[in-house]
Each structure stands twice: as C-alpha cells, then as structure tokens.
Amino acid sequence: MAKRARAASAKPNTPDPKIMTSLLERWDAVQEERESDRGSFRAQCKEHKESEDAILEEAKVRGIDPKLFKKTIKRRDLDRKITALNDSIGEDEVADWEAMWEAAAARDATKPSPVAQQKAADAKGNSAAFDDFTDPV
C-alpha cells in the first residue's frame, strides 16, 4: 500500500523538452554517421570484389580453372583455421583432445556420408516407385 501512495504522490516523469531535443539530435547524428560508414564499407567491399573478380579472370586467361582456384583458396583458409585451432589447445588438454578426436573419427568412419545416405534413400524410393508402377494389378 505504501508503494501505491508514494507512486501516486510522486512527480510524474516529464522530460525536459530541451534535454529531449538534445538527446534526439545526438541520436540522429549517430545514425547518420552509421549510415555513412555503411555506405563507405559497401563501396570498399565492392572494390575488393572487383579485384577478386579480376584475379579470377586472370587465372582463367592463364589456363587455371576458376572453380578449382576458389577451392584452393578455401582449403588454404580452412588449413589456417585448423592450424589456429590446434595452436589454441593447451598442453594439458592435448591428450583429452586427441582421445575425443579419435573417438569422433572412429564414429565417422562407420557412418555413411550424408551423400551416401541420400543416394540410398533415393534408390530405395525410386525402386519402390518403380515396383508400384510395374506390379500387375
């Protein structure tokens, strides 16, 4: 009850219009700056993309398959990530990590790949559909 009485008698929260104006103007300025930065960033990304496209075109002209070139780049990036991951494992964690890795590799070796699973499912579905089509009634 005391809270209600105090809340009812308290001065309502009416912001000073000058303060609100100042805060809103600062907010708008930050938003405009953010949009400007986004535009600059997009322009830089476009320039980088154009440079990458030029390199891919040069690779193509020089007889290098662009798709394989991209895959080489991707594999190199993944190798760097794996190296960084391995480097991040502490000496006291190595034995546990190797045991987990071997267990995961053993499990993955016994499990068919997602592509093989999909092919098996497709073959089973196709054979069932074929059987339905060819069975005499």
Side-chain angles (χ1 to χ4, degrees), residues 31 34 69:
Q31 295 303 311
R34 177 187 290 189
F69 186 69

Side-chain angles (χ1 to χ4, degrees), residues 6-132:
R6 198 173 345 152
S9 67
K11 180 180 175 186
N13 186 10
T14 55
D16 183 352
K18 290 179 184 176
I19 293 174
M20 282 297 295
T21 300
S22 171
L23 293 172
L24 290 172
E25 286 173 355
R26 287 175 37 211
W27 181 269
D28 291 343
V30 169
Q31 295 303 311
E32 288 175 18
E33 188 175 338
R34 177 187 290 189
E35 286 303 314
S36 175
D37 290 346
R38 275 191 188 139
S40 299
F41 179 72
R42 287 184 185 130
Q44 288 176 342
C45 287
K46 184 178 179 184
E47 289 175 17
H48 294 312
K49 178 69 175 138
E50 290 170 354
S51 297
E52 290 170 352
D53 290 345
I55 292 169
L56 288 172
E57 185 61 33
E58 182 179 345
K60 185 176 179 180
V61 167
R62 294 180 181 258
I64 298 171
D65 183 354
K67 283 177 30 177
L68 292 177
F69 186 69
K70 285 181 185 179
K71 289 180 182 187
T72 301
I73 293 167
K74 189 169 191 170
R75 181 174 178 171
R76 188 181 60 161
D77 292 344
L78 290 172
D79 285 342
R80 288 176 181 163
K81 287 180 181 180
I82 290 170
T83 299
L85 176 69
N86 290 340
D87 291 345
S88 73
I89 297 170
E91 290 181 22
D92 57 332
E93 301 170 316
V94 171
D96 290 340
W97 179 78
E98 286 177 348
M100 284 185 218
W101 182 254
E102 289 172 7
R107 178 191 168 272
D108 291 344
T110 61
K111 184 179 176 187
S113 72
V115 173
Q117 290 175 354
Q118 185 61 45
K119 284 183 179 179
D122 290 347
K124 184 177 180 182
N126 289 341
S127 68
F130 183 74
D131 289 343
D132 290 344

